[in-house]
Amino acid sequence: MAYEIEEIRTSQEIFYYLLEHHEIHEETEHRLYQAYAENEQIQNLVKSQGTVASCSIERYGDVIYLIPQEENYFLGFSKAQLKAALCKSSGTDRDYYLSQFVILTLLVEFYDAQGKSSKAREFLRVGDVQNSIGTYLKAGAESGGEQTEEETGLAFSDMYEAYEALRSDEKGSKAKTTKEGFLHHILKFLEKQGLIDYVEEDEMIQTTKKLDSFMDWNLLNQNHYMRVRRVLGAEEGSI
């Protein structure tokens, strides 16, 4: 398949912009967005560059996103980087997996994968999220042999121990050694990635259009959703 020089140049411009900003909005970058959306040749070239760079290029509505693949530590995050950002300085693997479980819980509380949109609510209170984390972890740890680590991919007892090892601080400590601080740093990290809006003074969490689109179009197909429900031990209709 032959490409015009101008198509190659435009595709490179689009991909470079995505490398720098990770997304292209139709409203603010109309020329680049239109070139990608309306020219299949350019779109194929951009996606090909993404494949070489271990990432995918996806258009959800009026935004084009660059999404690093799981093992892409150059454009994404390594396990060590995430552990340093989300866990206490002496954090172990079980602290890291607890942080991922917190994010999973947050997603389940916001999205139910039913209806036209997977989004179930517009906001969550930080305290409600914290309660849900404790409830799910306790239930998973108490279920014992009902769900093995091989089935769920999660060691509930280890994560529950890590969570209970964190102190409780009603004054709202931001230290990663407290339950409140641990959750706070995870929420700030997600906000920095443009996935949520975290209103600290109101202790309120809202999702962004970016996360809503990603959940609707990419993550929450029925197979993924039902696996998440099984992991959390949720009965049909209980979330």
Side-chain angles (χ1 to χ4, degrees):
M1 181 181 295
Y3 294 100
E4 300 290 337
I5 293 297
E6 190 57 34
E7 289 175 334
I8 296 174
R9 187 186 303 276
T10 301
S11 74
Q12 292 173 331
E13 186 179 357
I14 291 171
F15 188 67
Y16 183 81
Y17 189 94
L18 286 170
L19 284 176
E20 186 175 4
H21 302 282
H22 282 215
E23 54 193 59
I24 294 175
H25 293 257
E26 181 180 18
E27 183 178 356
T28 57
E29 293 295 331
H30 182 72
R31 181 180 64 84
L32 295 180
Y33 178 91
Q34 189 175 38
Y36 179 91
E38 298 181 0
N39 189 315
E40 186 177 357
Q41 301 279 79
I42 291 176
Q43 187 173 136
N44 289 337
L45 284 167
V46 175
K47 284 182 173 291
S48 178
Q49 292 175 77
T51 299
V52 172
S54 297
C55 59
S56 59
I57 312 298
E58 303 292 345
R59 179 166 66 96
Y60 302 141
D62 58 356
V63 185
I64 303 166
Y65 294 103
L66 179 146
I67 305 171
Q69 294 176 5
E70 188 173 349
E71 300 299 321
N72 188 335
Y73 301 146
F74 177 69
L75 296 174
F77 294 92
S78 67
K79 178 181 174 181
Q81 290 172 324
L82 284 175
K83 187 189 293 186
L86 302 177
C87 306
K88 57 189 178 183
S89 57
S90 59
T92 62
D93 276 358
R94 72 176 190 173
D95 296 304
Y96 167 76
Y97 290 119
L98 173 61
S99 71
Q100 303 310 293
F101 184 83
V102 169
I103 295 173
L104 178 64
T105 300
L106 189 68
L107 295 178
V108 168
E109 293 296 297
F110 266 115
Y111 303 96
D112 66 4
Q114 300 172 17
K116 185 177 180 181
S117 171
S118 63
K119 194 169 183 178
R121 62 191 75 196
E122 293 300 319
F123 69 91
L124 281 169
R125 298 291 182 185
V126 174
D128 293 335
V129 175
Q130 188 171 323
N131 290 337
S132 294
I133 294 166
T135 298
Y136 288 137
L137 285 174
K138 184 177 181 181
E142 290 177 349
S143 67
E146 293 182 18
Q147 293 190 96
T148 67
E149 183 178 350
E150 287 74 20
E151 291 174 326
T152 65
L154 298 169
F156 275 100
S157 58
D158 288 345
M159 291 189 298
Y160 186 53
E161 288 178 7
Y163 189 65
E164 288 302 301
L166 298 172
R167 296 182 292 106
S168 291
D169 189 327
E170 296 181 357
K171 297 180 180 180
S173 169
K174 300 300 188 295
K176 293 181 181 179
T177 53
T178 67
K179 291 181 173 66
E180 293 77 13
F182 185 67
L183 179 55
H184 168 80
H185 283 281
I186 292 174
L187 294 177
K188 293 298 290 183
F189 174 82
L190 294 175
E191 183 176 48
K192 188 175 181 180
Q193 304 311 310
L195 299 173
I196 66 169
D197 290 320
Y198 175 29
V199 186
E200 293 185 54
E201 57 269 26
D202 296 329
E203 295 190 331
M204 185 175 70
I205 310 161
Q206 294 176 304
T207 61
T208 62
K209 181 180 178 181
K210 178 179 181 178
L211 181 57
D212 292 343
S213 296
F214 191 61
M215 295 299 288
D216 279 338
W217 292 88
N218 201 330
L219 277 185
L220 277 182
N221 62 47
Q222 193 65 14
N223 289 335
H224 286 149
Y225 178 64
M226 293 310 297
R227 181 174 185 274
V228 168
R229 292 178 66 90
R230 288 194 298 272
V231 165
L232 293 181
E235 298 297 331
E236 191 67 31
S238 64
I239 294 180

